[in-house]
Amino acid sequence: MNTVPSFDSILAPAVRQPLSRTVRFGILGTTRSSPCGVANFSAALSEALSAHGSQVGVVRVADESPTPDDDGVVGELVSGSAESVAACAATLNNSDVAVIHFDHHVY
């Protein structure tokens, strides 16, 4: 009789191997200064990744308001600024993994 493998049995043979270096994550989204779900998720993701040894830099989606001192902010994407688009793209390209958060009300 053939049995269907369970999810756990499929994963059991996999062996986690440590990475040889720190993984760098770039997150494009809003930050805690913006009271919204994307900001909450970005903060929680950033904290969890950092807690597991990753480097995390956040590119904040900004409007014309001044930037508050948010932890981990490495750049700002300012609405209508081609210069900030280029700078943010360069910043995110320096990451190993870029996480882009999207919400119709943010961009």
Side-chain angles (χ1 to χ4, degrees):
M1 176 174 172
N2 291 336
T3 61
V4 177
S6 69
F7 185 72
D8 289 335
S9 68
I10 292 171
L11 294 179
V15 176
R16 290 184 180 216
Q17 296 183 8
L19 296 173
S20 60
R21 63 179 175 80
T22 301
V23 178
R24 298 168 300 171
F25 286 85
I27 298 175
L28 174 65
T30 54
T31 57
R32 290 182 187 214
S33 60
S34 303
C36 69
V38 171
N40 291 337
F41 182 81
S42 294
L45 179 61
S46 179
E47 290 169 6
L49 291 169
S50 295
H52 283 87
S54 295
Q55 291 178 349
V56 181
V58 177
V59 174
R60 176 181 176 261
V61 176
D63 51 20
E64 294 182 21
S65 61
T67 304
D69 293 330
D70 283 322
D71 290 335
V73 174
V74 295
E76 284 189 325
L77 178 61
V78 179
S79 179
S81 170
E83 185 177 295
S84 78
V85 170
C88 291
T91 298
L92 291 171
N93 280 335
N94 286 328
S95 303
D96 298 312
V97 178
V99 179
I100 312 299
H101 291 172
F102 177 77
D103 184 325
H104 291 285
H105 301 289
V106 173
Y107 298 97

